[in-house]
Amino acid sequence: MYQPHPALRKPITAADRVLQEIQRAIVDGDMAAGSKISEPELARRFDLSRAPLREALARLERCHLIERIPNAGARVVKLSTTGLLALYQLRENLEGLACKLAAEHMSDDEITEVRQLLDQHLSSQRVREGESYYQEAGDLDFHYRVILGSKNSYLINILCDELYYLVRMYRVQLGMNGPRVSRAFDEHKAIITAIANRDGELADLLMRRHIAASRRNIELQLEQMGT
Amino acid sequence: MYQPHPALRKPITAADRVLQEIQRAIVDGDMAAGSKISEPELARRFDLSRAPLREALARLERCHLIERIPNAGARVVKLSTTGLLALYQLRENLEGLACKLAAEHMSDDEITEVRQLLDQHLSSQRVREGESYYQEAGDLDFHYRVILGSKNSYLINILCDELYYLVRMYRVQLGMNGPRVSRAFDEHKAIITAIANRDGELADLLMRRHIAASRRNIELQLEQMGT
DNA sequence: GATACATATATTGTCGACATAATTAATCAC
DNA sequence: GTGATTAATTATGTCGACAATATATGTATC
């Protein structure tokens, strides 16, 4: 699965491992949204003490996958339409900025790599038509690369470490796939082209549209589930 | 001092207290930039065990005041020109967005309150001409109100909880005051007027300019120190 | 039967101690 | 004297247990 981001932090601690496991469990819906998190129970389940577990919980709160109340415990975050809207409002803006900065700061080599990545996605997509999971990963891969290309450490931290698990949670639990998949590839192509042309303004615009389209797609899915 | 933000979390824990103390110490420069953080030493200093201290350190990392390396410990963050640039690049964008959203979502009452706040600042500023600290707090107060007015919880979290301590650190340690103070008030006035007129686009633009001006001011200060 | 209060239970926050890893000090080779 | 290697020391990661707080249960009252 996706590491926080090309993290230099080599030594992997017990807290890291349990963090990844719980992250995956929440994103995939194995831990029900809104359900209470019991520290003693999780400690038993993952066979470690509460100290590293609490470290993991602190980081889960940081990426908005759980909500903690002092002395009262933590709960798995609940998906909501307003939450989705707020999240994507922010994403449009931040990833737009990331594109603008990427157009300024990405090296030619990095751009070439992203293009190769897209070609690779296209071929693998043709093979596994409709396979939602790999598309999901591929899409995030593209966004990751662009975000890293911004070279703004705070922006990278917010998008890759703090917001993306939530984004994935919405996508995974709402079962995103369908016809938007192929269109998304075209939009990715257009974005990297704008970046390659060092046209930050256009790259910004295209990314905002790309994310807005994705948001509408998810909103639709949410409404569908509501009825 | 400034609480994380109008936090509903009533119960104040030992970790909260030590967090605030260390936050203040780092922002004010009482803990030297780049200096190592010793858990045993701090635990002794604040007379508590390492458990709540580590909780506090986790949150300090979250607001970028310290940098941790697994198994190697934490260090107080170092100010740098590139860091300042990255931070303000992000701020321009995010607070611009906050303004746009505030123009949509702030109630008339909230707008009135902010205006009263500005009048209050103006009078108190005339009394204590050049008093940097109160201006500092007042400026942040204005920005806080606007950010809260955006009603976007993720945006609020990022700006008020994760980025603002760093902003304050740059300002406090570089001794921001001087002639920009009075101009900043005018800019605040213009921004809240745009919000009151429900002109999100203009409010966005004005806030970006306001922050860009602030950035140039700080950059100047940094260069001055470099020579 | 519903509400308010008191009790009992369980959970979180905190503590002190140990295991492991990193840093420093010391030793040795050249 | 300098560099590398090893030992000593310190710090971080983890553990199990206790204290304070919140939740759940039961009891009494209206």
Side-chain angles (χ1 to χ4, degrees):
Chain A
M1 203 50 53
Y2 281 90
Q3 284 281 85
H5 72 95
L8 312 179
R9 26 168 53 186
K10 293 153 291 190
I12 292 178
T13 172
D16 288 322
R17 277 192 298 275
V18 68
L19 168 66
Q20 287 186 10
E21 293 207 53
I22 301 179
Q23 247 172 4
R24 188 210 54 72
I26 293 179
V27 168
D28 290 357
D30 292 348
M31 284 186 177
S35 64
K36 179 140 187 358
I37 300 224
S38 165
E39 292 184 9
E41 183 201 323
L42 281 186
R44 276 193 303 274
R45 174 126 66 100
F46 294 106
D47 194 45
L48 39 67
S49 91
R50 282 175 52 218
L53 181 67
R54 284 173 66 88
E55 171 81 30
L57 291 183
R59 297 194 215 161
L60 285 170
E61 185 182 24
R62 184 172 169 171
C63 57
H64 306 279
L65 289 183
I66 67 172
E67 285 167 0
R68 296 176 98 181
I69 298 173
N71 291 317
R75 308 193 82 91
V76 177
V77 72
K78 269 183 291 194
L79 303 184
S80 70
T81 309
T82 62
L84 175 76
L85 203 75
L87 179 62
Y88 271 68
Q89 244 171 7
L90 205 56
R91 262 196 82 196
E92 279 183 43
N93 217 270
L94 287 176
E95 291 211 37
L97 174 61
C99 272
K100 202 187 95 186
L101 296 177
E104 297 172 20
H105 300 313
M106 269 182 103
S107 73
D108 293 338
D109 286 352
E110 286 174 313
I111 292 173
T112 304
E113 279 179 31
V114 175
R115 286 188 143 143
Q116 288 170 349
L117 188 76
L118 285 183
D119 291 341
Q120 189 183 314
H121 287 168
L122 191 63
S123 58
S124 86
Q125 183 227 354
R126 278 189 180 143
V127 175
R128 308 169 185 152
E129 197 70 53
E131 177 92 15
S132 157
Y133 181 76
Y134 286 100
Q135 154 55 17
E136 167 65 20
D139 182 63
L140 285 183
D141 241 2
F142 172 77
H143 287 260
Y144 260 63
R145 297 295 185 102
V146 173
I147 292 163
L148 292 178
S150 75
K151 306 286 166 68
N152 183 314
S153 63
Y154 300 112
L155 186 57
I156 292 169
N157 175 249
I158 291 173
L159 283 174
C160 293
D161 296 341
E162 296 182 2
L163 257 37
Y164 253 107
Y165 295 96
L166 252 189
V167 172
R168 285 194 55 218
M169 187 173 173
Y170 274 100
R171 288 205 200 166
V172 170
Q173 297 203 13
L174 296 178
M176 284 296 108
N177 47 15
R180 227 197 89 69
V181 170
S182 56
R183 194 180 297 178
F185 275 111
D186 296 339
E187 292 170 359
H188 288 173
K189 275 275 187 193
I191 290 169
I192 194 63
T193 298
I195 291 175
N197 291 338
R198 305 303 178 185
D199 188 344
E201 208 172 358
L202 180 60
D204 182 344
L205 176 75
L206 290 176
M207 180 58 96
R208 283 169 189 262
R209 282 192 190 167
H210 174 62
I211 292 172
S214 173
R215 187 199 63 210
R216 281 190 291 273
N217 199 37
I218 296 180
E219 273 179 312
L220 219 70
Q221 195 80 9
L222 255 174
E223 285 170 24
Q224 225 168 300
M225 290 185 68
T227 52
Chain B
M1 201 51 50
Y2 281 90
Q3 283 283 85
H5 72 95
L8 313 179
R9 27 167 53 186
K10 293 152 289 187
I12 292 177
T13 171
D16 288 323
R17 277 192 297 274
V18 68
L19 169 66
Q20 287 187 9
E21 293 206 52
I22 301 179
Q23 247 171 2
R24 189 209 54 73
I26 294 179
V27 168
D28 291 357
D30 292 348
M31 283 186 178
S35 64
K36 178 143 188 357
I37 300 228
S38 165
E39 292 184 9
E41 184 202 322
L42 280 186
R44 274 194 305 274
R45 174 127 68 100
F46 293 106
D47 193 45
L48 40 68
S49 91
R50 281 176 53 219
L53 181 67
R54 284 172 66 86
E55 171 81 29
L57 291 184
R59 297 193 214 161
L60 285 170
E61 184 182 23
R62 183 171 169 172
C63 56
H64 306 279
L65 289 184
I66 67 172
E67 286 167 359
R68 297 177 97 181
I69 298 172
N71 292 319
R75 308 192 83 89
V76 177
V77 73
K78 268 183 293 195
L79 302 183
S80 70
T81 310
T82 61
L84 175 75
L85 203 74
L87 180 62
Y88 271 69
Q89 242 170 10
L90 205 57
R91 260 195 84 196
E92 279 183 43
N93 218 271
L94 287 176
E95 290 211 36
L97 174 62
C99 272
K100 201 185 95 187
L101 296 178
E104 297 172 20
H105 299 312
M106 270 181 102
S107 72
D108 293 338
D109 285 351
E110 286 174 313
I111 293 173
T112 302
E113 279 179 32
V114 175
R115 287 188 141 145
Q116 289 170 349
L117 188 75
L118 285 183
D119 291 341
Q120 190 182 315
H121 287 168
L122 192 63
S123 59
S124 88
Q125 183 226 355
R126 279 190 179 145
V127 175
R128 310 170 183 148
E129 197 71 52
E131 178 91 16
S132 159
Y133 179 77
Y134 286 100
Q135 155 53 19
E136 166 64 22
D139 182 63
L140 285 183
D141 240 4
F142 172 77
H143 287 259
Y144 261 61
R145 297 295 185 102
V146 173
I147 292 163
L148 292 177
S150 76
K151 308 285 167 70
N152 183 314
S153 63
Y154 300 112
L155 187 57
I156 293 170
N157 176 248
I158 291 173
L159 283 174
C160 293
D161 296 341
E162 295 180 5
L163 256 37
Y164 254 108
Y165 295 96
L166 252 188
V167 172
R168 286 194 55 219
M169 187 173 173
Y170 275 100
R171 289 204 198 166
V172 170
Q173 296 203 13
L174 296 178
M176 284 296 109
N177 46 16
R180 226 197 89 70
V181 169
S182 56
R183 194 180 299 176
F185 274 112
D186 296 337
E187 292 170 0
H188 288 173
K189 274 274 188 193
I191 290 169
I192 194 62
T193 299
I195 291 175
N197 291 337
R198 305 304 178 184
D199 189 343
E201 208 172 357
L202 179 60
D204 182 344
L205 176 74
L206 290 175
M207 180 60 95
R208 283 170 190 262
R209 282 191 191 168
H210 173 61
I211 292 172
S214 173
R215 188 199 63 212
R216 281 191 291 273
N217 199 36
I218 295 181
E219 273 180 312
L220 219 70
Q221 195 80 7
L222 255 174
E223 285 170 22
Q224 224 168 300
M225 291 185 67
T227 53

